[in-house]
Amino acid sequence: MSAAEAPERTNGARAYIVCDNLVKIYKTEDLEVVALQGLDLEVQRGEMMAIIGNSGSGKSSLLNVLGGLDRPTAGQCRVGDLDILQASESDLVDYKRHHVGFVWQQSSRNLVPYLTAFENVRLPMLFGNMRKASDRSRSLLRAVGLEDRMHHRLSQLSGGQQQRVAIAIALANDPDLLLADEPTGEVDTQTAGQIYDILRYLNRERGLTIIIVSHDRNIARQVDRVVAIRDGRTSTETVRRVSIHEDGEDHTHDEFVIVDDTGRLQVPQEMLDQLSIRGRAVVDIEGDRIVIRPGTSGISTVAASQATSGPDEGAAESAADQAVIPARVELAQSVVPARRRPAPAPPKPSRPVPEPARRERPRDIPDEHRPFAPPSGGDARDD
């Protein structure tokens, strides 16, 4: 999708930030980590929104790509008229210097410890050769509520005050986009509320586009829209709606799932856990709704569903029973012990072999009996 073909909102305004099928892969010598895998996102100019997700979901990787610190591996990432993937190095340097500001969770990444708050804010203006750097530094410190602390060193400021100095530094070069990575992660709840008040003021009075990355789902009370990322893709989107009446304001939140161009969506994990949906699921259309039900695994579900669609109800029940038979057989084999084999029958005795007749040793025959004796070497025979 080219910049000219970027999606448009209902009011006809072209989105200020467009991420289309965005992919980011970090490679080492023997390992590849897919941080973003087909992420889609649109942000309007002047919008204040938040990106939430668990650790490792890809939210910080997205922030680095939007800020020009990392190039995407594939897909499109456009901020204004700049294509982050195709931009030259000089274009990226100009973008980071004049069009985007960063606020990090650790104040040490934003501040020089041996300088005062005023000197910290003025420093990037001196590098950018901005005129009236001193006047602008004082104006920014007043905007974040530190007019009376501007000449104090960092060791004399609290954690919340240091983070407000970091916000002023991020605005030093008058950027169009402010990216904040866990800006309230190291401060208490009261100080966090003050920081969000400052960000809302900057968004409302200066028209600044602000994207806040956080893991806290309660941030939905502080911004207009929250996009949840899971496994490198946009999962859900929560929009805050404000209704004004005589008694005050009511804030409601509408949560939507994101359906991409190929029809993929991510169902919230708590809903899947509540219905015990794992692996396969059954999707039906009921009127104007799409209903997702847990499905059983294996061939049984497929065969049973095909059988029930036939005209013969009895045949359907028979086919369904046949589809379940393999499972029953496997169960029987796994529960019933194997039968004991009978002992092998002893071999039948072979017929005895007659022993050869033994010859008698010749005996001494008296002379008077010799005529009647059989001849030597054989038995007497009948003539």
Side-chain angles (χ1 to χ4, degrees):
M1 182 187 302
S2 64
E5 298 172 345
E8 295 184 352
R9 298 286 187 179
T10 55
N11 57 5
R14 194 177 81 165
Y16 174 52
I17 297 175
V18 175
C19 296
D20 183 21
N21 199 24
L22 186 63
V23 177
K24 177 57 184 177
I25 302 176
Y26 293 98
K27 297 181 180 181
T28 60
E29 293 181 357
D30 55 352
L31 182 65
E32 289 187 357
V33 177
V34 182
L36 301 174
Q37 40 186 334
L39 181 140
D40 297 322
L41 178 68
E42 292 183 17
V43 181
Q44 292 295 316
R45 186 181 292 274
E47 185 177 2
M48 181 174 175
M49 64 162 298
I51 298 174
I52 63 173
N54 298 327
S55 298
S57 60
K59 56 186 185 299
S60 294
S61 298
L62 174 61
L63 211 67
N64 290 338
V65 171
L66 293 176
L69 301 179
D70 289 332
R71 287 183 185 269
T73 305
Q76 183 196 17
C77 179
R78 179 183 59 78
V79 181
D81 296 327
L82 179 69
D83 189 334
I84 302 293
L85 180 61
Q86 304 295 334
S88 63
E89 290 297 330
S90 59
D91 289 339
L92 285 178
V93 170
D94 180 77
Y95 169 71
K96 289 181 284 188
R97 182 175 294 177
H98 299 291
H99 299 280
V100 63
F102 284 92
V103 179
W104 306 103
Q105 178 180 356
Q106 299 84 7
S107 58
S108 59
R109 296 189 63 177
N110 301 280
L111 309 175
V112 180
Y114 53 82
L115 298 180
T116 64
F118 173 79
E119 292 169 341
N120 268 279
V121 176
R122 188 179 59 173
L123 184 61
M125 302 182 195
L126 297 178
F127 287 138
N129 296 322
M130 293 188 66
R131 297 181 179 180
K132 299 182 179 180
S134 297
D135 293 341
R136 179 167 175 77
S137 299
R138 296 187 185 94
S139 175
L140 290 174
L141 288 170
R142 282 195 297 269
V144 297
L146 292 177
E147 183 178 8
D148 57 341
R149 310 285 289 179
M150 64 177 61
H151 295 295
H152 287 69
R153 296 188 182 276
L154 298 184
S155 59
Q156 300 172 304
L157 301 177
S158 65
Q161 290 172 338
Q162 291 182 19
Q163 196 67 300
R164 283 188 271 173
V165 175
I167 295 174
I169 294 174
L171 302 175
N173 291 334
D174 196 19
D176 303 314
L177 173 65
L178 179 65
L179 304 176
D181 190 1
E182 300 278 2
T184 61
E186 295 185 346
V187 297
D188 57 81
T189 304
Q190 181 179 359
T191 305
Q194 296 174 356
I195 292 175
Y196 285 131
D197 290 340
I198 293 172
L199 293 176
R200 280 196 300 270
Y201 168 80
L202 296 172
N203 169 254
R204 182 176 62 252
E205 298 298 326
R206 298 171 178 259
L208 189 64
T209 304
I210 301 176
I211 299 178
I212 304 171
V213 163
S214 177
H215 67 276
D216 184 11
R217 294 186 176 273
N218 293 326
I219 197 175
R221 303 174 182 176
Q222 309 292 342
V223 297
D224 299 327
R225 184 165 65 109
V226 176
V227 173
I229 295 181
R230 194 173 77 202
D231 298 330
R233 291 192 182 100
T234 48
S235 174
T236 60
E237 179 176 314
T238 304
V239 179
R240 181 168 63 99
R241 302 186 183 279
V242 181
S243 58
I244 302 176
H245 48 82
E246 296 180 355
D247 298 332
E249 296 181 353
D250 287 336
H251 297 260
T252 58
H253 296 84
D254 298 329
E255 185 173 4
F256 306 90
V257 295
I258 307 300
V259 183
D260 63 13
D261 294 338
T262 62
R264 295 175 300 186
L265 61 86
Q266 290 190 1
V267 181
Q269 188 64 43
E270 56 270 17
M271 295 184 180
L272 298 177
D273 294 339
Q274 183 176 355
L275 297 179
S276 299
I277 296 179
R278 292 291 185 276
R280 301 187 180 190
V282 179
V283 181
D284 293 326
I285 296 180
E286 296 183 357
D288 58 348
R289 298 177 298 174
I290 297 177
V291 180
I292 303 176
R293 298 186 179 91
T296 57
S297 60
I299 192 174
S300 304
T301 302
V302 178
S305 62
Q306 291 176 350
T308 54
S309 61
D312 188 358
E313 184 176 357
E317 294 178 357
S318 175
D321 292 340
Q322 292 177 1
V324 180
I325 286 176
R328 293 176 180 172
V329 173
E330 293 176 1
L331 179 62
Q333 292 177 351
S334 62
V335 175
V336 178
R339 295 181 178 179
R340 182 177 300 173
R341 294 183 179 180
K348 295 182 179 181
S350 57
R351 299 181 63 182
V353 179
E355 297 182 0
R358 292 182 300 175
R359 294 180 180 179
E360 296 182 359
R361 295 178 60 186
R363 297 176 296 177
D364 294 331
I365 303 174
D367 292 340
E368 63 272 18
H369 295 160
R370 191 172 297 279
F372 304 100
S376 60
D379 297 332
R381 298 180 185 179
D382 292 338
D383 293 333

